[in-house]
Amino acid sequence: MAYENIRLETEDAIAILTIDRPKALNALNSKTLQEIESALNSLPATARALIITGGGDKAFVAGADIAEMASIGAAQAREFAALGHRAFQTLEQLPIPTIAAVNGFALGGGCELALACDLIYASEKAKLGLPEVSLGVIPGFGGTQRLTRVVGKMRAKELVFTGERLDAAKAKEIGLVLDVLPADQLLAHCKAVAGKMLKNGPLAISQAKRVIEFGADQDLRAANELERQGFAVLFGSEDQKEGMKAFLEKRAANFTGR
Ligand code: CAA
């Protein structure tokens, strides 16, 4: 499928989605959000991990498109937020691991896009933040909620109220990014992390992601029940039989995702 503002490539079993709208530092207008959602819904069946990054050497994504938002009213703003929420929820609920390779500015909707990924790695050049209050609005693509869950309520309030832009080192210090890499090593690092995951059982990773995601919003007993269900269901899979048999036979497992 031909896209205007994104590129979707696959390298081995790793899909790479590049937000590529350089004239606006990859800002997310409605079309780009629709393309992201459409690409996520039509990833090749062979894709077992997804990396999201930004085109060009300056930005991951510089936010939602301010030019598009400038003259809209409340009803359209609600629709725009709903579009972002839907696209990012689709991302969050993909059954494969997702990695944000934050190669530059990840502001507003760009930071929110990264937060909807399972893991975030940043280049030394990255700048992250939620500057929406400087525009007279609040984050509208899940940032108030996902940032709070990642860095805690007080730090999230500090970042949202000040609109401060963090450099990569500070973002790492507060747990917003996992690691900081030299710019020319970021993508290779993300591929290497994905590569480690590819060696493991895809159904197991998918269940682990599901129970961590859904469990995080529940009390411990309910969350542990989710874990029990996820654990049990895997015992009906060929991958569980193969993984344990391979261990006992002292060889590498050959997982098929069945
Ligand atoms: N929307 C639309 N266009 C954007 C944009 C955005 N979020 N960010 C950058 N651009 C455009 C600029 O308007 C500029 O276009 P022109 O060349 O046509 O003038 C082009 O990209 C290059 O940007 P700058 O000239 O500003 O580049 P810079 O290097 O001087 O600054 C920057 C880079 C600090 C990222 C600056 O562009 C900036 O502050 N961008 C806006 C960041 C922001 O506020 N993001 C939050 C948006 S609101 C949001 O995301 C709401 C939500 O949660 C749903």
Side-chain angles (χ1 to χ4, degrees), residues 153-166:
K153 196 160 77 169
M154 202 188 303
R155 192 62 89 176
K157 284 179 180 170
E158 179 189 44
L159 290 174
V160 172
F161 296 176
T162 62
E164 191 189 1
R165 237 185 258 160
L166 303 181

Side-chain angles (χ1 to χ4, degrees), residues 21-119:
R21 199 179 161 232
K23 64 176 183 219
L25 299 185
N26 307 328
L28 302 172
N29 58 5
S30 299
K31 183 166 178 57
T32 309
L33 288 166
Q34 282 155 358
E35 289 188 352
I36 291 172
E37 193 186 4
S38 154
L40 295 174
N41 282 324
S42 53
L43 289 177
T46 49
R48 287 186 35 207
L50 171 71
I51 296 173
I52 300 189
T53 194
D57 58 359
K58 203 166 161 185
F60 175 69
V61 165
D65 191 303
I66 300 169
E68 180 173 334
M69 287 184 292
S71 57
I72 63 176
Q76 283 168 296
R78 200 181 163 84
E79 271 174 35
F80 190 54
L83 175 59
H85 279 194
R86 213 175 53 223
F88 291 5
Q89 192 168 307
T90 301
L91 171 60
E92 195 169 59
Q93 293 183 2
L94 283 179
I96 58 174
T98 58
I99 302 176
V102 176
N103 56 314
F105 290 112
L107 302 175
C111 189
E112 294 172 292
L113 173 62
L115 281 163
C117 292
D118 296 318
L119 312 179

